[in-house]
């Protein structure tokens, strides 16, 4: 039971990390590439 | 728990590690500083003051916001007053961040202890609480000294600022008392009160410091993005101007991005500082339980530092976007103008931090990964360090050379300095940081405990370097915000008094010397304080 819970927790944290990277890409796209002035 | 049993004899593992990687980091840092100061700053107009560049704007300042009192000099040259303020406020930031960031780390330790009942969480939590209790007065002293300096050196500004922000500053002052009540009581009642009280105190501490910082940030952000085009006073009373106007000044355009960026930066700083101090304790202690314990503390601190570090580029982008839309000239100062070198300095330190953390994990987990035959992860850590180094090279590219502004006629545009490339490089660093956290916390979790105490010199040095870089980047950020605003105190309303005779911001070489002095001073204080506030495993019965 404990091992199962551990494994589930591990997957959840990996998903959280993946979601964070996804958010980072979105934020950079939204602000960095489209809203801030085009560089040079 | 610390690893059980005795640690392996030193002959069983390489106690030195690969010191060439450490030499590489230090050489890269030195080269970066030399190229930045010797080449980029002069060729981007970084040695020309904002007072000279924005002289035309200053002529438009209303006479009532010009200084009426004689300029109080401090015998440190034309930038003396700015140097005094920079010294006192940047030092204050490092002490204040112990609470703003450390309070969240402390809360995590209380929760981890209550969930796991592992003694090391309680021991570290109690050490952190006492450390912050003792250094509280240092932070408060520098804050009060800063106020004195503002009043004496910039009286016209101080009169307006302390009047507009009377209510937020009163809240801030009261929260000083609330904050020390929570952290002192938390330490004093440690293990003497029930879990619910522990959690209550541990939550009250970060919440009170969060709102205290928010209160002071209303002023700090309002100086860059004021709530109105000028200051208009009303009748005497509890409110010196209509309530709605006060709200525009207090909850101005950059308040929230500044606030959240500060929290993340402070937490990252505290994590790396924890790792730095742990490495010194590791070196200082000879008994195996203490060495296992401090090795674990170092790893715990690095993970906190890294996790909060990779949040900052996102919050930073939000902050920059707010400045771009609400104070465009300040944005051009720091992105496409004479203060852009400061952003290069910041991203250079950020890149080196990620490289250094990668090297720490390569070295720290080497033995474990070999034993577990996880060669894929070993190679991945190495690849992370190389890719982070490459991303760093992209980030430190100047966008142009040979002009004060990027679009000046005759300025040379660097094709490698495109912001698009830098955004991608930042995303790469964020991904690497997140992946390192995932691998160390999730894949190696449980197996790491077998290894505590086997810390090579290279990983120890990597953690020490991360501690210094993690603190340095914080005071660079403070300087960037202040110099973005130069030559104004309230942007385009209250100028820095004295005009061309007293140029701002603090010149590049002087601020560099100041950074080094501040870092040396606070790290000495941190280390000597940590020596008396740290609970070591072997002394458990004494405390």
């Amino acid at each position: 039971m404990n091992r199962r819970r551990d494994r589930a927790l591990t997957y959840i944290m990996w998903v959280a990390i993946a979601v964070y990277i996804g958010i980072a890409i979105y934020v950079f796209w939204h602000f960095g590439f489209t809203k801030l002035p085009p560089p040079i | 728990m610390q690893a059980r049993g005795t640690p392996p004899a030193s002959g069983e593992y390489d106690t030195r590690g690969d010191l060439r990687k450490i030499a590489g980091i230090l050489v890269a840092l030195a080269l970066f500083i030399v190229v930045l100061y010797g080449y980029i700053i002069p060729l981007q107009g970084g040695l020309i003051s904002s007072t000279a560049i924005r002289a035309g704007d200053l002529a438009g300042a209303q006479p009532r916001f010009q200084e009426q009192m004689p300029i109080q000099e401090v015998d440190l040259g034309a930038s003396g007053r700015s140097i005094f303020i920079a010294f006192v406020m940047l030092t204050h930031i490092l002490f204040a961040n112990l609470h703003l960031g450390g309070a969240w780390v402390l809360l995590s330790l209380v929760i981890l202890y209550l969930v796991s009942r592992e003694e090391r969480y309680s021991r570290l939590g109690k050490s952190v609480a006492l450390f912050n209790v003792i250094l509280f007065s240092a932070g408060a002293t520098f804050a009060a000294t800063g106020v004195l300096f503002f009043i004496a050196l910039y009286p016209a500004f101080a009169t307006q600022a302390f009047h507009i922000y009377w209510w937020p500053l009163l809240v801030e002052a009261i929260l000083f008392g609330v904050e020390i009540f929570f952290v002192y009581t938390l330490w004093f009642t440690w293990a003497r009160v029930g879990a619910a009280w522990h959690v209550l105190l541990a939550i009250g501490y970060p919440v009170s410091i969060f709102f205290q910082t928010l209160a002071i940030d209303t002023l700090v952000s309002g100086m860059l993005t004021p709530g109105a085009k000028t200051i208009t006073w009303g009748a005497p009373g509890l409110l010196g101007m209509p309530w709605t106007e006060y709200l525009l000044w207090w909850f101005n355009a950059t308040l929230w991005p500044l606030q959240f960026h500060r929290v993340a930066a402070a937490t990252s700083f505290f994590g790396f500082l924890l790792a730095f101090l742990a490495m010194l304790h590791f070196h200082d202690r000879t008994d195996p339980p203490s060495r296992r314990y401090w090795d674990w503390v170092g790893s715990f601190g690095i993970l906190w530092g890294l996790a909060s570090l990779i949040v900052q580029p996102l919050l930073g982008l939000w902050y920059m976007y707010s400045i771009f839309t609400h104070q465009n000239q300040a944005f051009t100062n720091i992105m496409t103008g004479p203060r852009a070198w400061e952003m290069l300095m910041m991203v250079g330190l950020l890149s080196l931090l990620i490289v250094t953390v990668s090297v720490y994990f390569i070295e720290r987990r080497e033995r474990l990964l070999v034993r577990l035959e996880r060669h894929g992860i070993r190679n991945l850590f190495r690849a992370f360090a190389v890719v982070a180094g490459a991303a760093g090279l992209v980030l430190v590219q100047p966008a142009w050379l040979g002009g004060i502004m990027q679009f000046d006629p005759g300025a040379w545009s660097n094709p490698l300095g495109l912001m698009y490339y830098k955004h991608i490089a930042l995303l790469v660093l964020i991904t690497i940081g997140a992946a390192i956290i995932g691998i160390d916390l999730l894949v190696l979790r449980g197996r790491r405990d077998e290894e505590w105490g086997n810390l090579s010199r290279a990983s120890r040095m990597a953690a020490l370097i991360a501690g210094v870089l993690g603190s340095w980047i914080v005071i660079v950020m403070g300087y960037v915000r202040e110099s973005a605003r130069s030559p104004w105190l309230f942007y385009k309303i209250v100028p820095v008094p004295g005009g061309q005779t007293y140029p701002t911001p603090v010149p590049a070489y002087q601020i560099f010397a100041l950074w080094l002095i501040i870092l040396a001073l606070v790290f000495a204080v941190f280390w000597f304080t940590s020596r008396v506030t740290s609970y070591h495993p072997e002394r458990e019965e004494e405390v």
Side-chain angles (χ1 to χ4, degrees), chain B residues 11-321:
Chain B
E12 290 178 32
Y13 62 95
D14 182 6
T15 54
R16 284 168 57 84
D18 187 0
L19 289 170
R20 286 171 307 177
K21 294 191 184 82
I22 302 300
I25 292 169
L26 294 175
V27 167
L29 175 63
L31 272 176
F32 171 57
I33 299 291
V34 167
V35 172
L36 185 70
Y37 270 76
Y39 190 64
I40 297 174
I41 294 178
L43 289 177
Q44 283 194 337
L47 299 175
I48 304 169
S49 76
S50 294
T51 312
I53 293 167
R54 303 288 181 197
D57 293 359
L58 283 174
Q62 290 181 36
R64 67 186 176 116
F65 297 126
Q66 302 284 2
E67 193 59 73
Q68 307 299 321
M69 311 268 279
I71 302 289
Q72 176 64 59
E73 293 198 3
V74 292
D75 206 19
L76 275 180
S79 300
R81 290 176 307 163
S82 301
I83 291 171
F84 261 53
I85 294 289
F87 172 74
V88 79
M89 294 320 292
L90 293 179
T91 309
H92 163 69
I93 283 175
L94 291 179
F95 283 113
N97 277 359
L98 295 178
H99 304 280
L100 183 60
W104 297 104
V105 177
L106 183 50
L107 175 61
S108 78
L109 287 164
V110 169
I111 292 171
L112 284 168
Y113 174 67
L114 291 174
V115 170
S116 70
R117 292 288 165 186
E118 290 183 19
E119 195 54 38
R120 63 186 180 188
Y121 295 122
S122 174
R123 187 179 300 123
L124 181 59
K126 197 175 177 187
S127 303
V128 166
L130 183 58
F131 184 74
N132 279 8
V133 165
I134 289 182
L135 289 179
F136 173 84
S137 63
T141 303
F142 275 99
T145 310
V147 171
L148 165 70
F149 288 179
F150 275 126
I151 294 168
L153 303 177
Y154 303 93
F157 159 75
T159 306
Q160 301 293 337
F162 294 135
H163 209 138
I164 297 172
Y165 292 96
W166 156 252
W167 290 111
L169 293 178
L170 180 67
V171 170
E172 194 221 354
I174 293 168
L175 285 173
F176 265 113
V178 178
E179 178 195 331
I180 190 64
F181 163 77
F182 275 117
V183 67
Y184 178 77
T185 312
L186 181 62
W187 171 74
F188 188 72
T189 61
W190 199 271
R192 296 187 203 178
V193 292
W197 282 109
H198 250 298
V199 171
L200 186 72
L201 292 168
I203 290 176
Y205 178 39
V207 169
S208 58
I209 180 69
F210 179 88
F211 283 106
Q212 190 193 33
T213 307
L214 184 66
I216 190 64
D217 277 348
T218 57
L219 165 60
V220 176
S221 57
M223 290 165 75
L224 181 62
T225 48
K229 285 190 164 26
T230 188
I231 301 169
T232 311
W233 292 109
L238 284 177
L239 300 175
M241 62 176 72
W243 179 246
T244 48
E245 287 180 27
Y246 265 134
L247 290 182
L248 289 173
W249 277 93
W250 300 345
F251 295 92
N252 63 80
T254 54
L255 172 67
W256 291 107
L258 171 66
Q259 170 74 7
F260 286 111
H261 195 282
R262 270 196 146 169
V263 172
T267 313
S268 175
F269 152 78
F270 193 84
F272 288 127
L273 174 65
L274 211 53
F276 180 94
L277 295 173
M279 295 304 103
L280 294 185
H281 283 299
F282 181 91
H283 182 72
D284 204 36
R285 312 295 298 182
T286 50
D287 58 298
S290 289
R291 287 170 82 86
R292 282 198 291 269
Y293 170 69
W294 288 113
D295 184 4
W296 168 78
V297 173
S299 192
F300 180 82
I302 289 265
L303 281 173
W304 259 109
L306 182 60
S308 313
L309 187 68
I310 60 170
V311 179
Q312 288 175 64
L314 266 66
L315 296 169
L317 203 60
W318 176 25
Y319 192 22
M320 290 309 297
Y321 180 69

